[in-house]
Amino acid sequence: MRKHSKVIMLGFVILVWGVCSSTSGRAYGAIPTATMQEIDRVNEKGPYLGIIVPNSFEMNPLLQSPSFVADLEVPYLDYFGRRFRLGKVENEKVIIVMTGLSMLNAGIATQLLLILFKVKGVLHYGIAGNANPQLQIGDVTIPQYWAHTGLWNWQRYGDGPNDELALESNGDYTREIGYLRFANYQNASENGKPVDNFLNNVWYQPEEVFPADGIPEVRQHSFWVPVNKHYFKVAKRIEGMKFQRCVNSTCLPRAPKAVRVKSGASANAFVDNSAYREFLNSKFNITPIDMESAAVALVCHQQQIPFIAIRALSDLAGGGSAVSNEADIFASLAAQNAVDASLRFITLMFP
């Protein structure tokens, strides 16, 4: 009799909780019912091209472009601190979302976009530092691969390349990708050789990836994340496109151009250091350096959504001779160039 009473009481609690959840407009503490209904209405018009942008000064030139027309019925939908703007760009249905700074924000915004909305592909654009001495500020780069270069295993002082990393035997870390030796970047030397540095070495690590169609909790690893092959092929038709070269009376040596490159890198660090810039380029053949693209790439890779990133170079990542970072002058120009290249890509990709 006591057991039966407990079952009845449990059923009553569940019923009351369900009614309260329903009347409050939420189901299981998740998306409010009214918001879910709006999302359903939006998705009925899909699928969309998702456009992901880091910051407002990079997004505004797109929103102010005559190529963008906001949806008259639902111009935007706000959820979880993000505003998802709906409309058309060059007659292609799009959802535009701003991520905010850093890998974490970029990953969260991308995941929300792909979970909430019917998205057929992702275009990510913005500005970046330039690690490639063959290119100049203002040039628009379209990498074939992206890497997160901020995931390290920091080796203790005294250990070297032949010493196993902590937890390497468990399969958590690897020495396959390579390392940065801090002693190689000291001014002091003994007999022409770098002296030891207590910071020692950091080894670059791949991300753990759990594919949407994979076995749950069975990890895969990815350091180089490729963009979509077809998107990258279409982007070849952007190469040679010319862009504006002056900000007020300050002009670049030549008109910037668009170029496909081998690889780009992202990490939660603003690189304004010539030594690290040169290292990334010589070690990994990196051209653009930013703080978001690899996060967007990794989420799209995990969700198996076609992806491409277009990054215009706003500065030399510490490789210039100026006292201040060049982005102070050329960030607006680079942002506009990235938008112009993105609009051209959309026209070519979705004629």
Side-chain angles (χ1 to χ4, degrees):
M1 186 72 181
R2 183 176 297 174
K3 181 178 180 181
H4 183 66
S5 299
K6 286 184 177 181
V7 171
I8 294 175
M9 181 60 68
L10 177 62
F12 177 75
V13 170
I14 291 174
L15 176 63
V16 171
W17 181 86
V19 171
C20 290
S21 297
S22 176
T23 56
S24 67
R26 287 182 178 271
Y28 304 102
I31 303 175
T33 302
T35 302
M36 197 66 245
Q37 290 173 346
E38 283 291 288
I39 292 172
D40 289 341
R41 288 174 57 200
V42 168
N43 285 331
E44 288 176 359
K45 299 180 181 180
Y48 297 86
L49 173 67
I51 300 180
I52 300 175
V53 194
N55 295 296
S56 59
F57 77 90
E58 294 159 305
M59 181 175 63
N60 287 339
L62 175 61
L63 299 181
Q64 295 164 3
S65 167
S67 298
F68 172 70
V69 179
D71 188 276
L72 295 177
E73 185 178 358
V74 185
Y76 62 86
L77 193 153
D78 293 341
Y79 180 68
F80 219 73
R82 301 297 196 279
R83 171 159 291 183
F84 298 90
R85 293 172 167 84
L86 297 107
K88 287 187 176 182
V89 171
E90 305 291 358
N91 292 319
E92 178 65 24
K93 288 177 286 187
V94 300
I95 300 178
I96 305 168
V97 61
M98 187 186 80
T99 68
L101 187 71
S102 84
M103 295 280 286
L104 176 62
N105 277 324
I108 290 173
T110 305
Q111 189 72 45
L112 284 171
L113 173 71
L114 300 185
I115 286 178
L116 296 176
F117 301 102
K118 188 181 294 184
V119 174
K120 63 182 179 182
V122 167
L123 166 64
H124 173 59
Y125 79 83
I127 68 171
N130 175 28
N132 188 340
Q134 303 303 315
L135 297 179
Q136 71 162 31
I137 292 170
D139 286 343
V140 176
T141 62
I142 309 165
Q144 186 177 9
Y145 297 92
W146 284 93
H148 175 204
T149 52
L151 186 56
W152 294 351
N153 185 308
W154 208 314
Q155 202 169 29
R156 67 176 60 187
Y157 179 71
D159 285 352
N162 295 324
D163 294 301
E164 188 176 274
L165 301 175
L167 302 181
E168 183 179 353
S169 60
N170 295 340
D172 293 335
Y173 298 98
T174 178
R175 284 172 289 160
E176 292 181 0
I177 296 171
Y179 67 101
L180 168 65
R181 182 179 183 230
F182 285 94
N184 290 344
Y185 296 90
Q186 294 182 169
N187 287 325
S189 64
E190 293 179 359
N191 300 321
K193 295 182 179 180
V195 297
D196 285 344
N197 188 302
F198 287 130
L199 293 175
N200 202 26
N201 307 319
V202 292
W203 292 81
Y204 291 84
Q205 301 299 318
E207 286 276 4
E208 290 185 354
V209 178
F210 298 87
D213 63 347
I215 301 173
E217 298 183 354
V218 175
R219 64 185 176 180
Q220 298 179 16
H221 290 93
S222 183
F223 184 73
W224 295 113
V225 182
V227 304
N228 179 265
K229 291 181 178 179
H230 182 55
Y231 284 15
F232 192 66
K233 182 178 179 180
V234 171
K236 182 174 177 58
R237 297 168 62 186
I238 301 177
E239 288 189 309
M241 181 178 175
K242 296 297 190 297
F243 304 90
Q244 64 183 39
R245 60 188 287 257
C246 296
V247 178
N248 298 324
S249 60
T250 304
C251 294
L252 296 163
R254 61 164 171 79
K257 61 183 179 181
V259 57
R260 296 190 306 173
V261 297
K262 192 65 176 178
S263 52
S266 306
N268 281 336
F270 185 94
V271 178
D272 194 26
N273 182 279
S274 60
Y276 193 59
R277 168 191 191 256
E278 190 278 331
F279 171 82
L280 287 177
N281 182 255
S282 61
K283 180 70 176 179
F284 298 121
N285 196 20
I286 298 296
T287 294
I289 310 169
D290 66 40
M291 302 174 71
E292 296 87 20
S293 295
V296 180
L298 282 160
V299 174
C300 290
H301 175 60
Q302 189 264 340
Q303 295 288 329
Q304 298 182 336
I305 297 294
F307 159 83
I308 197 167
I310 296 174
R311 286 282 184 161
L313 306 176
S314 61
D315 61 274
L316 299 179
S321 58
V323 175
S324 62
N325 186 279
E326 298 87 356
D328 292 340
I329 298 174
F330 293 106
S332 60
L333 179 145
Q336 185 62 59
N337 290 356
V339 169
D340 291 345
S342 297
L343 292 174
R344 179 62 176 156
F345 172 80
I346 294 172
T347 301
L348 295 170
M349 187 69 217
F350 308 101

